[in-house]
């Protein structure tokens, strides 16, 4: 094997707790309202942190506990990319950003800090200073409002790849 797990013994995965309706561990920063939607393979959740001058980015995560990029099977990897595109288009409908960026981290040296794969999807604005690493916590209420806005856009007739009730749960 070319990589090893960095997940500590007895790791309590915050994303698995959210997706599986488990009680949240003490360090879990997720809130139930962070879940935007889920499909059989992946889910879209609001991130608890904002970066730069704006908050409200999304993470696309596998529904199975997979630690890093190296662990993704082809079907899950394809689903992650498809839902990344779908969420980026929903952001255009909901918030009208000037662009979108994605990023993903693996292993400690790659800046991964949650041991469950997650693809970040950011709405971009000319003055957002995203890459200055101005990380700040977003309130649960602000994340919930943004999740509702995105959910509405995802199910909107205006969305070219809109979700149908049969496609997703949330």
């Amino acid at each position: 094997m070319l990589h090893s797990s960095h997940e500590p013994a007895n790791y309590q995965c915050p994303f698995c707790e959210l997706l599986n309706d488990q009680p949240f561990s003490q360090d879990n920063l997720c809130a139930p309202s962070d879940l935007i939607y889920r499909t059989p393979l992946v889910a879209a959740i609001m991130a608890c942190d904002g970066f730069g001058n704006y908050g409200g980015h999304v993470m696309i995560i596998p529904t199975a506990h997979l630690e890093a990029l190296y662990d993704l099977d082809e079907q899950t990897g394809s689903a992650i990319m498809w839902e990344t595109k779908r969420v980026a288009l929903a952001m255009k409908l909901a918030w009208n950003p000037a662009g979108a960026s994605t990023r993903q981290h693996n292993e400690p040296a790659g800046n991964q800090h949650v041991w469950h794969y997650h693809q970040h999807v950011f709405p971009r604005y000319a003055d957002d200073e995203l890459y200055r690493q101005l990380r700040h916590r977003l309130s649960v209420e602000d994340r919930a409002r943004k999740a509702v806005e995105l959910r509405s856009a995802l199910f909107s007739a205006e969305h070219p790849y809109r979700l149908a009730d049969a496609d997703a749960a949330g």
Side-chain angles (χ1 to χ4, degrees):
M1 183 182 304
L2 296 177
H3 76 286
S4 59
S5 175
H6 295 280
E7 182 178 299
N10 302 315
Y11 183 63
Q12 295 173 302
C13 178
F15 299 161
C16 288
E17 290 174 349
L18 174 65
L19 293 177
N20 298 314
D21 286 328
Q22 297 172 340
F24 283 11
S25 55
Q26 181 179 358
D27 295 329
N28 191 337
L29 299 175
C30 295
S33 57
D34 289 337
L35 179 62
I36 301 166
Y37 70 95
R38 70 183 292 161
T39 70
L41 292 176
V42 300
I45 65 172
M46 292 302 301
C48 64
D49 288 333
F51 289 86
N53 299 329
Y54 297 88
H57 79 281
V58 173
M59 294 183 295
I60 308 298
I61 62 175
T63 55
H65 183 76
L66 301 170
E67 181 176 327
L69 176 66
Y70 321 120
D71 302 312
L72 299 180
D73 59 81
E74 185 175 348
Q75 189 177 14
T76 302
S78 294
I80 288 167
M81 189 49 64
W82 178 255
E83 298 308 329
T84 297
K85 176 181 177 177
R86 191 186 325 243
V87 164
L89 288 166
M91 287 176 173
K92 294 293 276 183
L93 286 172
W95 306 327
N96 195 30
S101 288
T102 64
R103 69 183 186 199
Q104 194 275 320
H105 310 282
N106 298 281
E107 302 184 271
N111 202 30
Q112 184 178 10
H113 62 277
V114 175
W115 308 116
H116 187 125
Y117 176 96
H118 50 290
Q119 169 85 18
H120 298 265
V121 186
F122 295 94
R124 296 302 307 273
Y125 305 90
D127 63 343
D128 65 22
E129 299 184 334
L130 174 64
Y131 293 109
R132 292 201 49 219
Q133 296 296 324
L134 303 173
R135 184 181 211 142
H136 54 90
R137 188 81 56 221
L138 295 177
S139 71
V140 170
E141 296 78 19
D142 193 34
R143 296 186 336 241
R145 178 183 53 79
K146 289 177 178 283
V148 168
E149 291 168 355
L150 279 178
R151 198 173 295 112
S152 176
L154 284 157
F155 284 89
S156 166
E158 296 175 67
H159 196 297
Y161 308 105
R162 76 176 191 225
L163 282 168
D165 289 335
D167 295 332

